[in-house]
Amino acid sequence: MYALFQIVQLVLRLLIYTFVGKGALALIVGAGHRENPIWRLFDAVTRPAWSLTRAVTPRFVGDAAVSYLAVFLLLAVNLGMYMFFYSQGWIRPLR
């Protein structure tokens, strides 16, 4: 079970860090960030999580805020997963 926990946590953290990297790259590059191949890679990786978040948010929430909400939801899922696995006794905290 610990291996499953690690794999799911790796995927969640990959998505979180990719969202952060996408935002940082947009700040660094400026207005032409959508033509940047690295930004396109980050966008391809984060697009499924962004689309799922867009589907569950109300329409009055702007597209710019969906990325922030997606990161928050991924962090919440990561924490919730840790709490679930710990409550089942499948993982132990580091000492």
Side-chain angles (χ1 to χ4, degrees):
M1 278 303 191
Y2 187 69
L4 174 66
F5 171 76
Q6 290 289 12
I7 291 169
V8 173
Q9 197 172 40
L10 175 74
V11 170
L12 290 173
R13 289 180 180 180
L14 171 79
L15 286 170
I16 292 167
Y17 293 142
T18 307
F19 269 114
V20 172
K22 185 177 166 183
L25 185 64
L27 286 174
I28 292 168
V29 174
H33 66 275
R34 293 190 189 270
E35 288 81 33
N36 189 311
I38 303 298
W39 192 89
R40 287 184 183 181
L41 174 68
F42 286 174
D43 190 50
V45 170
T46 59
R47 181 59 54 184
W50 189 92
S51 298
L52 184 62
T53 305
R54 175 80 265 178
V56 299
T57 55
R59 285 288 143 203
F60 66 84
V61 176
D63 285 345
V66 172
S67 293
Y68 296 114
L69 185 58
V71 169
F72 176 76
L73 291 175
L74 287 168
L75 287 169
V77 168
N78 195 8
L79 179 63
M81 187 188 69
Y82 175 80
M83 293 170 61
F84 174 74
F85 274 64
Y86 181 76
S87 70
Q88 298 299 315
W90 295 336
I91 60 172
R92 295 280 175 229
L94 297 173
R95 295 178 192 210

